[in-house]
Amino acid sequence: MLNVKLDTASESIKINKRASRYAIAFVATTTYFGIAAPLCAQELHLEGLRTEYQQNPVGVDTRVPRMSWRILAARRGTMQSAYEIRVATDSGSLQRAPLWDSGKLQSMASILRPYGGPALHSGARYYWQARVWDESGRASPWSAPAFWETGLLERADWSARWITPDLVEDTTRANPSPMLRREFTVSRDISSARLYVTSLGLNAMELNGQRVGDGLFRPGWTSYDKRLQYDTYDVTALLRPGVNALGATLGDGWYRGHLGFEGKRNNYGKRLGLFAQLVVRYADGRTQIVGTDEQWKASTGPILMSDIYDGETYDARLEKSGWSRAGYDDRAWHGVRQLDRPTASLVAPVSRPVRRMQELKPVRILHTPAGETVFDLGQNMVGWVRLTVSGPAGTVVRLRHAEVLDKAGNFYTENLRDAAEIVSYTLKGGGSEVYEPHFTFQGFRYVAIDGFPGTPTLDAITGIVLYSDLTSTGTFETSNPLVNQLQHNIVWGQRGNFLDIPTDCPQRDERLGWTGDAQVFSPTAAFNMDVSGFFAKWLADVAADETPDGAVPWVIPDVLGRSNAGMAASAGWSDVAVIVPWTMYQAYGDTSVLVRQYASMRAWVEYERAQAGDSLLWKKGFHFGDWLAFQTTRADYPGATTDKDLIATAYFAHSTDLLARAAGVLGRGEDARNYRALFERIRGAFQREYVTATGRLTSNTQTAYVLALDFDLLPNSLRPDAARRLSEDVRKMGHLTTGFLGTPALTRMLSENGYLEDAYRLLLNEDYPSWLYEVRHGATTVWERWDGQKPDSTFQESSMNSFNHYAYGAVGDWMYRVVAGLNIDPAQPGYKHVVLRPQPGGGFTYATASLQTPYGEAASGWKLDGNRLRITALIPANTSATVHLPGARVEQVRENGSALPSTSGVTRATQSGDTVVVEAGSGNYEFVYDAPALAARVRGGAKATTR
Ligand code: BGC
């Protein structure tokens, strides 16, 4: 069944937004796929001010925050030549009495500029603004002010005490969620109030009956024993003079709930805890602190069970109306006990919390052959269901969740393994009741309902989509609806699996921070969303959970605890410790991620070196290998098995290579030289062991060639040969044979080495195993296995068959970079210089991608109309680009009516084979020319891929 669904509404909003952005950004009127950009007088100004990646963050604990801005400029080719920042403790003093003024600094850097003023105070707000000068010395006006607010920078700033509800619990199973409350009195003339809070287990805070903040699953998931996040909330508006009440509901969450596929509970501890501190500041300068202490009271209420995997049991008859308001009678409540202070350090979040991001209405109600009533949300999603129901008190409505229906059309939950995903709601009666669960999430498209009073209609449920509130940064679209659906599936896979940490899957009893999956998907992730803070947070846990000898556990945070069993580290998985910091550095141009991770990166490479020993061939230990690669039952070809030791040595080399580069970036010259030399030696060892004299690899698989080419492990003379063998294998098999490790770079290695059409053929293949096979079978997310659902509609083994696993979505990186052409220049990371190199093919008539880079929006695209090719390029101010025009003759290209290179903004245009290479400054360009040979080849690609 084909299910192609495009967010056309949001696309058109995007395009309109883009048009209006141009109105500000560019005076030169051009068209972007037919959209005219009007003229505008705004010459040069700043917008998008961010402190440490966030807009006006509250609760920042770095002592040297860094500030970034985007430049909007009317003229093409705008570069910053200097900037000035000023910081003040109130916005009115920025001009008159700044706390710090950087002075005019000659610098082209417009992102991550460090604060350089006096030491910052805890819980204080700092306003800042900036102005810049362009390359010809013109100044922008001062930007509108932005601010950041510090968190509690010293342990001594906390006067609260850890408390735990004094309730009798059976910690061998799930317990009702405790509720904690305390009243307190405040006087008039409050100038500000902040609530600082963290917990062992999850917390949802209330103040005077109102929910505090809209973050969910707080304080998120970190390696709780080592790092515990606290949140800062501005609660000024929720307080009133007189008696107030604070309330907290606690959930088992990742701390002590059912977690991991071994059925374990209490991974971090048995007792839930709360640590909160309300700081009220008065106009006269007084401060009042209300912290967690023995005056709090505890009870349980309607949440009888709430568990990440298993769902929630809620009895609305047990609600305690008004419990977080002043005046509630809590005499029957229990007390609380002090809890030993956890050893973890308290840290402010650098990522965004999980929030309600979207709502989905069911598209239909089904009655299955087995007699179940099932809602279909039309999209495999992650979150929960909002139920709207009315009926007699005591009626129990049960919601079960599933990703798929089986061949017979029945509700299928076997692939959830031991995750129950059951939500049960008991009505209180007396009118319409609206309910959402609390400390659980489900991965599902279908919802089976029973016990509903009356006949449920489509209005009975709404899917609430939950994920980390990451700004969506990328768009990708082509003329091929199936490929667009693949992009949609990749994005939904990211939504479903970027729930506070990067997970493998969101539905079965796993949902863990599997390192391999995150490693292969991270480049794609950084196109689709701003994942800078998200990965910065998780990488801190990678470093925290690394063992003293440098082994990186399979999952982070490490709840599998295999570190001591010699099974902690697996090649391609644990290399996440080096690869993801490097990927983030490339995507965001932030060296601090390398600074923070360097020790962990180095320790991991040293671990690999110790494993490999003198031979430099890593042959020991347990490895997942090219997980889930193509298998057959054919007697003469059991499948594409790549030797695990070849993979392990290849990754050892690659991590060493990246470590050497990172050392170079950080100015660690000696390390850079040593690890470069080590890389060369591993490369030599690899060649001696795994490459024959004629350039054949000992594992003659696609994955082996992909890794050897991608990681630069072959002598230059043998690279063409290896690429040819790779292409031959693809053609011989007629499809990919790669697993988790070979797939990400497969298409890129083909296109980079002269086999672009093979890469397109793989992308467009609709038969198993391929990306579009899933799309053809109605997938709305990316599957874990190429044959999750087989051609005969039966399923793969239920013990491992997720329909929402992002790993194979790693092809998204190639789609952005090669199909649409939007590339990082590794020498100037963070898109300071962009390489726009679209490579048309596959019978498409257009492809386009855009990305909100740290400097502003960049876009790359092409459109073929007969033989006429239009290449569009959007280059943000204060960056430059190299634009490759394929199939072009320099004298034939026109840009905005002018020949090259005289068109404004273009500094150089050179012919290189059949490509024209253009150096351009910021601006919005459209290059037009006839490319008959290329057009014929692209159309031929269509023939080769249609059957
Ligand atoms: C997970 C993966 C993971 C793998 C290890 C699976 O159970 O879902 O995606 O990487 O185990 O090979």
Side-chain angles (χ1 to χ4, degrees):
M1 184 191 59
L2 175 62
N3 183 350
V4 177
K5 216 167 54 132
L6 270 180
D7 282 343
T8 36
S10 68
E11 277 312 307
S12 72
I13 292 168
K14 271 250 154 53
I15 290 170
N16 287 336
K17 259 214 233 128
R18 185 179 283 158
S20 67
R21 171 178 291 274
Y22 289 171
I24 304 172
F26 305 107
V27 162
T29 305
T30 57
T31 54
Y32 191 83
F33 296 158
I35 298 163
L39 298 173
C40 179
Q42 277 277 19
E43 280 286 303
L44 180 72
H45 80 272
L46 309 187
E47 64 154 34
L49 270 62
R50 286 149 292 142
T51 312
E52 289 297 321
Y53 294 112
Q54 315 232 34
Q55 258 179 34
N56 299 337
V58 170
V60 172
D61 68 359
T62 135
R63 286 158 201 270
V64 185
R66 296 156 315 153
M67 291 158 266
S68 307
W69 51 87
R70 299 195 179 113
I71 301 171
L72 289 189
R75 288 182 329 103
R76 283 182 172 180
T78 295
M79 278 287 176
Q80 175 186 302
S81 62
Y83 72 84
E84 182 175 3
I85 299 175
R86 58 191 184 196
V87 176
T89 46
D90 64 277
S91 55
S93 306
L94 278 165
Q95 198 184 343
R96 281 178 290 107
L99 179 69
W100 176 62
D101 188 327
S102 67
K104 182 175 175 182
L105 299 173
Q106 300 298 329
S107 166
M108 290 169 75
S110 56
I111 61 169
L112 303 164
R113 307 323 304 145
Y115 170 72
L120 303 174
H121 297 293
S122 281
R125 188 169 282 201
Y126 296 89
Y127 291 84
W128 68 278
Q129 59 184 174
R131 63 173 165 171
V132 302
W133 287 261
D134 73 7
E135 73 291 345
S136 46
R138 274 174 294 235
S140 75
W142 282 101
S143 70
F147 67 82
W148 81 87
E149 189 176 303
T150 50
L152 298 184
L153 302 177
E154 309 290 344
R155 197 63 172 83
D157 294 326
W158 292 90
S159 56
R161 285 191 288 268
W162 275 97
I163 55 170
T164 185
D166 200 3
L167 300 168
V168 179
E169 295 181 318
D170 172 2
T171 51
T172 61
R173 56 173 184 79
N175 285 279
S177 286
M179 297 150 80
L180 291 86
R181 73 182 303 279
R182 182 200 201 276
E183 295 189 2
F184 57 95
T185 306
V186 297
S187 36
R188 296 198 170 278
D189 298 326
I190 296 167
S191 66
S192 73
R194 297 288 179 272
L195 179 64
Y196 304 94
V197 54
T198 187
S199 50
L200 302 179
L202 304 176
N203 73 74
M205 301 300 294
E206 294 180 29
L207 181 51
N208 295 329
Q210 303 262 342
R211 179 73 208 273
V212 175
D214 54 1
L216 301 168
F217 304 101
R218 301 312 300 161
W221 189 7
T222 52
S223 303
Y224 290 131
D225 301 336
K226 297 152 192 158
R227 300 179 345 104
L228 189 57
Q229 300 186 118
Y230 69 91
D231 289 308
T232 303
Y233 299 104
D234 181 349
V235 292
T236 318
L238 297 180
L239 280 183
R240 63 176 78 102
V243 186
N244 292 259
L246 266 171
T249 308
L250 300 182
D252 292 350
W254 300 286
Y255 188 81
R256 72 165 191 184
H258 175 191
L259 192 62
F261 45 80
E262 290 155 329
K264 286 201 284 186
R265 315 190 66 82
N266 305 316
N267 273 281
Y268 293 94
K270 289 188 172 170
R271 292 219 69 88
L272 299 179
L274 180 68
F275 189 57
Q277 175 164 313
L278 176 74
V279 179
V280 184
R281 291 211 166 82
Y282 292 97
D284 62 6
R286 272 181 312 126
T287 300
Q288 176 186 359
I289 296 182
V290 181
T292 38
D293 58 18
E294 269 114 343
Q295 293 185 48
W296 287 62
K297 302 292 277 295
S299 182
T300 57
I303 306 176
L304 299 177
M305 180 280 281
S306 193
D307 184 272
I308 300 272
Y309 294 160
D310 293 333
E312 181 163 304
T313 306
Y314 188 97
D315 187 340
R317 295 170 304 179
L318 302 176
E319 283 172 357
K320 294 187 152 69
S321 177
W323 72 278
S324 66
R325 290 179 198 278
Y328 177 84
D329 180 0
D330 63 12
R331 278 172 301 177
W333 283 39
H334 297 260
V336 299
R337 279 191 278 131
Q338 255 195 62
L339 201 62
D340 277 348
R341 185 176 124 179
T343 48
S345 51
L346 292 178
V347 294
V350 293
S351 183
R352 312 272 287 270
V354 175
R355 292 198 165 99
R356 292 176 178 80
M357 298 299 286
Q358 197 175 331
E359 300 195 353
L360 295 181
K361 291 306 295 176
V363 293
R364 56 188 175 140
I365 298 180
L366 306 163
H367 300 285
T368 66
E372 300 131 327
T373 301
V374 172
F375 292 92
D376 175 5
L377 285 139
Q379 171 65 50
N380 197 7
M381 59 159 279
V382 175
W384 59 48
V385 160
R386 179 193 299 142
L387 173 70
T388 306
V389 59
S390 44
T395 310
V396 180
V397 179
R398 205 166 65 116
L399 304 168
R400 292 183 300 129
H401 302 75
E403 291 187 292
V404 285
L405 302 178
D406 69 13
K407 189 174 177 173
N410 284 318
F411 202 68
Y412 180 82
T413 54
E414 274 170 48
N415 69 328
L416 305 180
R417 302 195 313 215
D418 280 340
E421 293 210 327
I422 296 176
V423 172
S424 157
Y425 178 77
T426 305
L427 278 71
K428 59 188 163 200
S432 178
E433 299 175 37
V434 180
Y435 158 76
E436 288 182 26
H438 299 81
F439 303 115
T440 179
F441 62 87
Q442 281 72 48
F444 64 103
R445 170 174 166 170
Y446 298 96
V447 181
I449 190 163
D450 51 70
F452 190 89
T455 308
T457 63
L458 290 175
D459 294 332
I461 71 157
T462 306
I464 309 294
V465 180
L466 310 176
Y467 56 96
S468 288
D469 182 7
L470 306 175
T471 308
S472 119
T473 47
T475 64
F476 173 86
E477 195 192 312
T478 73
S479 56
N480 183 318
L482 296 176
V483 173
N484 293 345
Q485 179 68 31
L486 171 61
Q487 167 67 11
H488 167 106
N489 295 0
I490 294 170
V491 170
W492 274 89
Q494 183 165 354
R495 289 179 182 159
N497 285 296
F498 275 43
L499 198 145
D500 212 64
I501 62 154
T503 57
D504 55 334
C505 57
Q507 73 297 81
R508 68 179 178 225
D509 54 349
E510 249 177 290
R511 316 183 190 189
L512 304 174
W514 276 101
T515 46
D517 308 46
Q519 184 267 107
V520 299
F521 188 66
S522 56
T524 304
F527 274 115
N528 291 328
M529 297 178 194
D530 178 353
V531 293
S532 50
F534 180 82
F535 273 115
K537 163 187 174 278
W538 187 69
L539 285 170
D541 293 311
V542 169
D545 279 348
E546 201 166 350
T547 66
D549 60 354
V552 178
W554 295 344
V555 301
I556 301 291
D558 179 24
V559 285
L560 298 180
R562 304 272 165 105
S563 325
N564 301 326
M567 290 181 75
S570 169
W573 268 249
S574 306
D575 292 276
V576 78
V578 174
I579 295 172
V580 172
W582 185 255
T583 305
M584 292 303 113
Y585 165 64
Q586 288 290 312
Y588 301 105
D590 183 359
T591 49
S592 77
V593 65
L594 299 180
V595 172
R596 285 193 309 270
Q597 298 300 130
Y598 190 77
S600 145
M601 296 165 79
R602 195 174 186 277
W604 167 247
V605 169
E606 287 303 328
Y607 176 88
E608 290 182 301
R609 193 211 300 246
Q611 293 293 304
D614 292 343
S615 71
L616 299 178
L617 299 169
W618 184 6
K619 298 193 170 192
K620 280 208 283 205
F622 171 84
H623 299 286
F624 293 109
D626 190 24
W627 191 248
L628 296 179
F630 179 68
Q631 287 175 315
T632 73
T633 47
R634 270 172 48 186
D636 64 341
Y637 185 82
T641 305
T642 308
D643 281 344
K644 288 182 176 181
D645 54 346
L646 181 152
I647 292 174
T649 303
Y651 266 96
F652 172 29
H654 185 49
S655 281
T656 306
D657 175 26
L658 297 184
L659 178 65
R661 291 177 205 224
V665 170
L666 299 181
R668 294 169 174 267
E670 198 182 331
D671 273 10
R673 280 188 298 281
N674 289 342
Y675 288 111
R676 175 63 42 217
L678 177 59
F679 168 73
E680 292 300 341
R681 283 168 40 226
I682 306 166
R683 195 169 179 259
F686 181 92
Q687 291 171 9
R688 283 190 296 281
E689 185 78 1
Y690 302 115
V691 188
T692 70
T694 56
R696 195 173 189 276
L697 290 174
T698 53
S699 286
N700 195 31
T701 60
Q702 293 175 16
T703 291
Y705 289 107
V706 166
L707 296 184
L709 286 164
D710 191 24
F711 298 166
D712 192 16
L713 302 178
L714 300 170
N716 282 345
S717 59
L718 291 183
R719 284 182 68 87
D721 222 50
R724 182 181 49 76
R725 288 173 199 270
L726 173 61
S727 144
E728 274 170 11
D729 194 78
V730 166
R731 288 179 196 194
K732 184 181 77 194
M733 299 300 297
H735 56 73
L736 53 76
T737 63
T738 48
F740 272 32
L741 298 182
T743 302
L746 171 61
T747 43
R748 188 159 50 79
M749 283 310 103
L750 287 165
S751 60
E752 267 180 21
N753 290 288
Y755 299 96
L756 177 67
E757 273 130 55
D758 287 332
Y760 268 108
R761 224 168 282 134
L762 288 179
L763 177 70
L764 296 177
N765 182 15
E766 294 174 18
D767 295 329
Y768 162 77
S770 70
W771 292 279
L772 296 191
Y773 167 81
E774 304 176 7
V775 170
R776 279 280 182 205
H777 278 72
T780 58
T781 39
V782 175
W783 298 350
E784 176 174 26
R785 311 176 75 122
W786 296 119
D787 58 350
Q789 187 172 12
K790 298 189 182 173
D792 67 0
S793 291
T794 59
F795 293 132
Q796 252 288 359
E797 52 177 20
S798 59
S799 63
M800 219 181 63
N801 198 19
S802 147
F803 290 92
N804 194 355
H805 235 73
Y806 53 55
Y808 288 144
V811 70
D813 177 62
W814 182 78
M815 288 158 43
Y816 276 96
R817 287 172 60 172
V818 176
V819 176
L822 190 48
N823 284 279
I824 296 169
D825 174 356
Q828 293 189 61
Y831 300 91
K832 181 74 173 132
H833 182 257
V834 199
V835 179
L836 303 181
R837 191 177 173 215
Q839 298 184 51
F844 296 2
T845 54
Y846 74 88
T848 177
S850 71
L851 180 70
Q852 212 36 261
T853 75
Y855 299 92
E857 187 176 356
S860 175
W862 57 273
K863 188 175 188 189
L864 200 52
D865 196 355
N867 286 339
R868 177 139 293 199
L869 187 58
R870 290 166 197 277
I871 302 280
T872 48
L874 175 59
I875 306 159
N878 203 27
T879 73
S880 56
T882 304
V883 188
H884 294 252
L885 308 177
R889 301 293 320 160
V890 71
E891 59 283 357
Q892 287 173 2
V893 178
R894 291 292 172 275
E895 197 288 315
N896 199 21
S898 307
L900 295 181
S902 56
T903 183
S904 119
V906 168
T907 52
R908 197 150 48 112
T910 41
Q911 187 76 44
S912 164
D914 68 350
T915 300
V916 172
V917 181
V918 175
E919 298 300 334
S922 65
N924 179 24
Y925 301 83
E926 188 182 59
F927 302 93
V928 184
Y929 54 96
D930 283 336
L934 180 137
R937 204 182 64 227
V938 172
R939 282 192 292 270
K943 286 195 202 84
T945 49
T946 24
R947 339 159 161 255

